Amino acid sequence: MGRGDLTNAEWDRLESFLPPGGARGGRWSDHRRVINGVLYRVRTGVQWRDLPERFGPWETVYKRHRRWSADGTWTMLLSRIQAAEDAAGRIDWEVSVDSTAVRAHQHAAGARKTPARRSSKGERSGDEPGRSGVAETGDPTRGSGQIGECLGRSRGGFTTKIHIAADGRCRPLALVLTPGHYGDGPQFERVLEQVSVPRPGVGRPRTRPDHVLADKAYTSRKNRRYLRRRGIRHTIPERLDQQRHRKNRGSRGGRPTGFDRERYKKRNTVERAINRLKGFRAVATRYEKRAYIYLGTVTLAALIIWLRT
């Protein structure tokens, strides 16, 4: 077993959830060796062709990662491990939300594009830049333009943004990708909608945190209404311009929002979760052209964090 590979205990937790084999003909290469190969690349950020020989042909490792990123296998494994942790009562449901920009390598550009669609008025659509929209990739295996591949230009350069919801033990509960120039606030609902931890046996997955912590980027009225509608308590500071606007309106401005300074200090959990994710070099710098493959890379990093916390 090499440095950073799955331990026997970690492998025992994953083995029963893995696909049994190829759908047509032949047998797949050993799952453990291939996963260790993908993990080595995610941890070190090396090019696929430079994988050590002990992991087998690099094409096999890359294709398995690409396939499992497209069909949701990595997401399924993360969900199963989260469910086991929740069943054991080891998830702290005081959830923090934040985002981080990731610099995209120049090799991440140039993914194939599908032909642009035309609207009813004859206008081209599908790759229009925006600062607060939602990037829709549609079929993950088909190209969808720079915005669809979650690549954008921001003050940090050519970037992708990872939006994350983390539990109170600094572990990612939900992950969303957008282009780097997209705002944080408009993605708030989308991130929390991704929180879904299955329950053992019969029952709906748990989707509602006990409490949500977020910074001033998420302080819009729309986000607060969303949390109230779902019955989720929250601690989000109010921006100074919002406070002035409310006071200028007098009685029509409504009551001040509640804010617990001591509780807000716990928001550092999401910052620490981001630091853990960026400890994987293929997460800290995006090398993949396709958004669904990069999301698979980030999901695998989150899975390892859950296994080792």
Side-chain angles (χ1 to χ4, degrees):
M1 185 176 70
R3 176 175 176 269
D5 289 354
L6 293 173
T7 64
N8 291 333
E10 293 164 358
W11 172 247
D12 290 340
R13 296 184 67 184
L14 290 179
E15 185 177 13
S16 61
F17 303 134
L18 295 172
R24 296 190 301 272
R27 296 178 59 188
W28 281 0
S29 297
D30 179 60
H31 279 320
R32 186 171 185 176
R33 182 176 69 170
V34 173
I35 292 176
N36 283 333
V38 179
L39 181 57
Y40 180 89
R41 190 264 174 179
V42 172
R43 183 171 58 85
T44 63
V46 300
Q47 295 187 7
W48 289 103
R49 287 178 170 81
D50 294 332
L51 282 177
E53 294 181 358
R54 65 187 178 93
F55 299 120
W58 71 266
E59 297 96 333
T60 300
V61 181
Y62 166 69
K63 290 179 180 178
R64 189 77 55 84
H65 177 53
R66 183 182 65 185
R67 176 182 297 175
W68 285 3
S69 298
D71 65 15
T73 299
W74 294 128
T75 303
M76 177 272 294
L77 293 174
L78 177 59
S79 179
R80 295 292 181 87
I81 296 301
Q82 290 175 344
E85 290 291 294
D86 189 41
R90 291 194 291 264
I91 293 183
D92 183 349
W93 283 96
E94 190 160 53
V95 174
S96 301
V97 179
D98 205 351
S99 71
T100 181
V102 175
R103 187 66 181 265
H105 194 272
Q106 60 184 357
H107 294 167
R112 293 182 180 180
K113 301 178 182 178
T114 53
R117 295 172 298 176
R118 292 185 178 275
S119 65
S120 58
K121 297 183 179 180
E123 300 171 346
R124 296 174 70 88
S125 61
D127 198 19
E128 295 298 326
R131 298 195 62 84
S132 60
V134 176
E136 298 291 349
T137 57
D139 182 355
T141 60
R142 299 183 62 190
S144 52
Q146 180 172 302
I147 299 300
E149 297 299 346
C150 299
L151 292 168
R153 299 282 179 179
S154 65
R155 287 184 296 180
F158 194 42
T159 54
T160 292
K161 187 172 282 188
I162 304 173
H163 303 264
I164 176 175
D167 79 334
R169 299 182 63 187
C170 309
R171 299 175 297 185
L173 280 169
L175 299 163
V176 170
L177 298 185
T178 65
H181 60 281
Y182 276 25
D184 291 352
Q187 310 303 324
F188 184 70
E189 294 185 26
R190 188 179 173 200
V191 174
L192 289 183
E193 292 294 337
Q194 294 295 318
V195 176
S196 179
V197 178
R199 301 178 189 270
V202 180
R204 297 179 179 178
R206 175 162 183 175
T207 61
R208 189 170 64 179
D210 292 333
H211 201 96
V212 170
L213 305 171
D215 61 19
K216 293 181 181 180
Y218 301 92
T219 188
S220 68
R221 292 183 178 180
K222 178 182 177 183
N223 289 339
R224 293 182 186 274
R225 284 197 300 266
Y226 168 77
L227 292 169
R228 287 195 295 267
R229 186 171 66 250
R230 293 190 59 189
I232 301 175
R233 293 175 295 173
H234 55 279
T235 301
I236 304 175
E238 192 178 30
R239 293 198 306 266
L240 292 178
D241 62 329
Q242 291 180 323
Q243 294 177 12
R244 288 194 299 266
H245 180 67
R246 175 172 46 79
K247 292 178 180 178
N248 291 337
R249 297 187 64 192
S251 60
R252 295 177 300 169
R255 294 178 298 176
T257 59
F259 180 67
D260 187 341
R261 290 184 179 274
E262 289 300 316
R263 194 162 204 165
Y264 185 69
K265 293 178 181 179
K266 297 181 181 180
R267 198 190 65 84
N268 70 83
T269 55
V270 69
E271 304 287 356
R272 289 152 60 193
I274 289 171
N275 287 340
R276 288 183 178 183
L277 279 176
K278 286 194 168 182
F280 296 84
R281 296 193 174 191
V283 174
T285 301
R286 174 177 171 174
Y287 299 101
E288 289 85 356
K289 296 178 184 294
R290 307 305 309 278
Y292 77 93
I293 300 179
Y294 181 62
L295 181 58
T297 297
V298 180
T299 303
L300 175 57
L303 172 63
I304 297 303
I305 290 173
W306 278 86
L307 287 174
R308 295 178 179 175
T309 303

